[in-house]
Amino acid sequence: VVVSKPKLKGGVIDKEHALGDQEILLVPCPHCGTFQELTIGKLKFSHCKDLLQGWDLERVLNETYMECEATFCKKAIFESAKPAMVEQYHWFPTNAGDPEVISFHISDLYSPHSSVSWGVLAKKMINSKHDRRARQDLWNNNLGLEWEERVTKPEKIDILNCKSPYKRGEIPFPPVALLLGSDIGKSNAK
C-alpha cells in the first residue's frame, strides 16, 4: 500500500498512481444531479474584484463557488451544498490499469474543514500567482496533483526569425530608452 500526495510529474507517487485504475471522486450537482469531479478549473471567483479590478479577498473568501459541468445546467454550486453532495459520492475508475491495483485521487475541494474552503483555496490560488513554490504547494498539498515544471527553450530558428532588416549600428526608430543587459550564466558565477 502506497499512500501519499504526489510531488512531481513522473515521481514515485505519480508512477504508482498511473499503474492503477486512477479512481476519482464524483459528487452530484444539487441542481441537476449530474455526477462530477470537483476541480480547481470549476472554481469561480473572477467576479470578486473591486472597481479597479483588484481582488476583493473578503469577497473571494465568501463568494467563491463551483460551476456545474453539465452544459445544460452550469449553475453555481455554493459551499453550503458540499456536505450533502459528498454524502452521495461515487468512486469512478478512469483507467483500465492493473485490475489488482486500485489508485485514488482526492483533493481538499471535498473537505468539510473551513481551513480549506473553496474561498480559502481560491485566495491561495490568487496569492500564489507569481510564486512558483506557493503554487506548487497548492497543487501538491491542497489539490493532490503532481507538479510539472514548465520551461520554454527557444530554438535557434525562433531567435533568427526576430531579426529585422536594418544596418548594424543604426536604430530603426527613436528610442524611449537604451538598455544593456548581460547574463554570465551559472558556470561563470563566482
Side-chain angles (χ1 to χ4, degrees):
V1 173
V2 178
V3 178
S4 186
K5 294 177 182 175
K7 185 167 182 163
L8 298 174
K9 188 162 185 71
V12 175
I13 300 303
D14 185 41
K15 288 179 180 177
E16 289 290 328
H17 181 257
L19 293 175
D21 61 357
Q22 300 176 30
E23 294 187 26
I24 57 173
L25 192 65
L26 301 180
V27 293
C29 169
H31 307 293
C32 70
T34 300
F35 276 83
Q36 57 201 281
E37 181 180 20
L38 300 180
T39 63
I40 195 77
K42 292 182 216 156
L43 208 58
K44 303 300 177 191
F45 52 92
S46 62
H47 62 282
C48 299
K49 291 189 174 186
D50 60 27
L51 294 174
L52 299 174
Q53 293 304 304
W55 290 106
D56 182 338
L57 296 178
E58 191 64 33
R59 285 186 65 202
V60 170
L61 288 172
N62 296 312
E63 298 176 24
T64 297
Y65 65 89
M66 281 281 170
E67 182 178 76
C68 176
E69 72 179 23
T71 54
F72 60 87
C73 182
K74 294 286 186 196
K75 289 185 178 168
I77 303 170
F78 294 98
E79 184 112 22
S80 58
K82 185 168 46 171
M85 293 166 62
V86 172
E87 283 180 13
Q88 302 174 60
Y89 74 90
H90 291 292
W91 284 103
F92 181 77
T94 62
N95 181 41
D98 183 337
E100 294 185 13
V101 178
I102 298 171
S103 57
F104 298 94
H105 173 261
I106 190 167
S107 74
D108 286 346
L109 294 167
Y110 297 90
S111 176
H113 300 291
S114 61
S115 63
V116 287
S117 69
W118 294 342
V120 168
L121 296 176
K123 184 178 172 186
K124 282 183 90 169
M125 187 81 161
I126 291 166
N127 289 337
S128 68
K129 183 176 181 180
H130 299 293
D131 183 343
R132 187 196 64 75
R133 285 195 177 121
R135 183 60 60 99
Q136 182 178 354
D137 179 68
L138 170 71
W139 236 241
N140 291 157
N141 296 319
N142 297 114
L143 303 177
L145 298 171
E146 69 281 347
W147 179 257
E148 182 176 12
E149 290 289 341
R150 295 194 177 142
V151 179
T152 304
K153 181 180 176 186
E155 296 294 325
K156 183 178 179 180
I157 190 70
D158 297 327
I159 296 169
L160 291 174
N161 284 338
C162 293
K163 275 180 32 177
S164 297
Y166 58 91
K167 295 179 186 174
R168 183 179 291 267
E170 267 185 28
I171 300 176
F173 49 85
V176 174
L178 295 175
L179 304 173
L180 174 66
S182 72
D183 180 1
I184 60 170
K186 286 184 179 180
S187 61
N188 295 321
K190 304 267 189 245

